[in-house]
Amino acid sequence: MGVAMMRPPLFASDYRASAARATRELKVKTLLRALVGRLHDALTTGDSALSVAFSGGTAPHILIRDASAEVVGRVTIDDESDLYVFCEFEDGATDVVIATASEDRLLEELVLHLRDGQPASQPVDAAIGMLVGQTIEDVERKLILQTLRHCKGDPTHTAFMLGMPLVTLCKKLSAYLAESASELPQVAAVTGLATGAYRL
């Protein structure tokens, strides 16, 4: 009876590095895919003939083309800073126009540079108008819980989207979940999760 040859196990550090790369790549692709719809709405209204397309692979990005299918800009997420980066292609040169953590700020710059400053719709301003009269704490709590729901309970992705340190987010979530028992079902309903469905 022969002895079966076993492959040596992957080192834990190799596995962690590989898992971190895969997780980051998935996060970048998810954020850029979600951004495509907003870019399309902001850049294709009126007489503008710009098109927006997501490209995956090892270097995911969004390409913006004019009516003649010429690439006029590209949106990526920087590997080191996790900021959205918008590069404009003009006269054969590539210029970084903006690097920001805010999708709304990114959209403003894209409109200014690619639609000759034509105003884009302001859904965020309209939403802020509806928040008048609520406390900052209530608004922050709702935003955090809705973002957590959007991220399917993933605190790391939630912290990234909110531009908040993960430790700060976890402290806030712990405070929310430590509230009185009568409010816990409401928290679970808002997040779409059972209160014990994930660990921080």
Side-chain angles (χ1 to χ4, degrees), residues 141 145 173 176-177 179 182-193 195 198:
R141 181 177 188 268
L145 293 176
L173 289 174
Y176 300 155
L177 295 175
E179 291 174 354
S182 64
E183 292 189 22
L184 284 178
Q186 180 184 3
V187 171
V190 169
T191 60
L193 301 167
T195 54
Y198 62 92

Side-chain angles (χ1 to χ4, degrees), residues 86-97:
F86 167 52
C87 297
E88 187 175 20
F89 302 131
E90 193 171 22
D91 300 326
T94 304
D95 294 324
V96 174
V97 174

Side-chain angles (χ1 to χ4, degrees), residues 71-129:
V71 176
V72 295
R74 180 184 67 221
V75 177
T76 57
I77 295 179
D78 183 67
D79 286 338
E80 294 181 16
S81 65
D82 282 334
L83 297 176
Y84 291 103
V85 178
F86 167 52
C87 297
E88 187 175 20
F89 302 131
E90 193 171 22
D91 300 326
T94 304
D95 294 324
V96 174
V97 174
I98 187 171
T100 178
S102 167
E103 280 189 14
D104 295 318
R105 181 77 177 100
L106 175 71
L107 288 169
E108 287 174 13
E109 286 298 325
L110 283 162
V111 168
L112 286 173
H113 285 275
L114 300 178
R115 288 185 57 214
D116 300 323
Q118 297 173 26
S121 59
Q122 299 294 330
V124 173
D125 291 341
I128 289 171

Side-chain angles (χ1 to χ4, degrees), residues 15-104:
Y15 173 76
R16 280 194 295 271
S18 176
R21 275 193 306 274
T23 300
R24 186 187 185 287
E25 185 177 319
L26 178 62
K27 184 186 297 184
V28 167
K29 287 180 179 179
T30 301
L31 290 172
L32 289 177
R33 279 192 188 109
L35 182 60
V36 167
R38 294 191 71 193
L39 286 174
H40 177 76
D41 292 344
L43 298 175
T44 59
T45 56
D47 297 331
S48 179
L50 296 172
S51 64
V52 181
F54 171 77
S55 178
T58 56
H61 58 275
I62 296 171
L63 289 179
I64 303 164
R65 300 177 186 273
D66 62 16
S68 63
E70 182 90 18
V71 176
V72 295
R74 180 184 67 221
V75 177
T76 57
I77 295 179
D78 183 67
D79 286 338
E80 294 181 16
S81 65
D82 282 334
L83 297 176
Y84 291 103
V85 178
F86 167 52
C87 297
E88 187 175 20
F89 302 131
E90 193 171 22
D91 300 326
T94 304
D95 294 324
V96 174
V97 174
I98 187 171
T100 178
S102 167
E103 280 189 14
D104 295 318

